[in-house]
């Protein structure tokens, strides 16, 4: 990969994460998440191998679906309450859609099947970025809206993710 393209992708990852973490408006948070998604795609498909291309397409489709759910959640909340502020999430349907979108972005248990396959098709450094740095923006949105989200659902998803992740990790031989 061209060093300039790698630098632009890295700077875009930092920019997208910074925008999402520092935003109070739903559209800016969504914009930061989209910048992150578009910045990591060249890094996933860098080897130009069919497995890397497949991993890139899976990552893009899951992240685009989760971003659409997040945007729909924020729009339905704005429709119901008239607020675009992240901390003013009060509509119950919006809370459920946001929880689903964040679970998809983080790869939590009901929506986790894409994550090991994307990691297997990615280079090692990119897999490290996907496993760590790409989780900061969704977790920040989760923390900002945690007072509105269903704690029972979040606890169930966390316990199921830890349990199933550890159990399925014992069976994983290709990472």
């Amino acid at each position: 990969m061209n060093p300039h393209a790698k630098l632009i992708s890295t700077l875009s990852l930092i920019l997208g994460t910074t925008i999402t973490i520092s935003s109070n408006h739903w559209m800016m948070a969504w914009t930061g998440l989209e910048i992150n998604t578009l910045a990591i795609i060249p890094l996933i498909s860098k080897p130009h191998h069919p497995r890397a291309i497949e991993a890139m397409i899976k990552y893009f489709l899951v992240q685009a679906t989760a971003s659409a759910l997040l945007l729909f959640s924020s729009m339905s909340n704005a429709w119901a309450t008239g607020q675009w502020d992240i901390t003013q999430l009060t509509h119950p349907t919006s809370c459920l859609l946001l929880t689903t979108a964040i679970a998809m972005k983080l790869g939590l248990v009901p929506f986790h099947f894409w994550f090991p396959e994307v990691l297997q098709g990615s280079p090692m450094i990119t897999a490290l970025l996907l496993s760590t740095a790409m989780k900061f923006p969704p977790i920040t949105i989760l923390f900002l809206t945690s007072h509105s989200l269903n704690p029972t659902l979040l606890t169930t998803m966390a316990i199921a993710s830890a349990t199933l992740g550890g159990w399925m990790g014992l069976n994983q031989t290709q990472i």
Side-chain angles (χ1 to χ4, degrees):
M1 177 180 262
N2 186 354
H4 296 296
K6 197 173 205 177
L7 177 67
I8 289 173
S9 291
T10 306
L11 290 176
S12 295
L13 282 172
I14 294 169
L15 176 70
T17 301
T18 305
I19 287 173
T20 303
I21 289 174
S22 63
S23 65
N24 286 331
H25 195 274
W26 279 113
M27 291 302 287
M28 288 305 294
W30 176 77
T31 302
L33 290 171
E34 288 302 308
I35 289 172
N36 269 352
T37 299
L38 294 176
I40 198 77
I41 284 175
L43 297 175
I44 294 173
S45 63
K46 182 173 58 172
H48 299 296
H49 188 270
R51 192 167 181 125
I53 302 302
E54 179 185 355
M56 181 262 309
I57 290 171
K58 285 180 183 177
Y59 181 79
F60 177 75
L61 289 176
V62 169
Q63 295 300 313
T65 304
S67 290
L69 276 174
L70 187 131
L71 194 58
F72 184 67
S73 168
S74 63
M75 286 192 313
S76 64
N77 186 62
W79 183 296
T81 64
Q83 295 288 328
W84 281 95
D85 190 18
I86 287 179
T87 59
Q88 300 298 322
L89 185 69
T90 57
H91 195 257
T93 305
S94 298
C95 293
L96 184 62
L97 287 173
L98 179 73
T99 304
T100 303
I102 295 299
M104 286 178 77
K105 284 201 165 285
L106 290 173
L108 294 181
V109 151
F111 312 104
H112 69 286
F113 292 108
W114 65 271
F115 196 63
E117 295 176 14
V118 170
L119 289 182
Q120 287 175 1
S122 301
M124 186 63 78
I125 298 297
T126 306
L128 178 69
L129 280 173
L130 286 171
S131 299
T132 56
M134 296 300 287
K135 304 299 183 198
F136 291 142
I139 287 174
T140 302
I141 293 174
L142 189 67
F143 284 148
L144 286 172
T145 59
S146 63
H147 64 281
S148 302
L149 301 179
N150 185 353
T152 306
L153 178 63
L154 291 176
T155 305
T156 303
M157 289 170 61
I159 291 171
S161 291
T163 304
L164 194 62
W167 188 36
M168 298 296 279
L170 294 173
N171 194 25
Q172 193 62 251
T173 60
Q174 295 181 354
I175 292 183

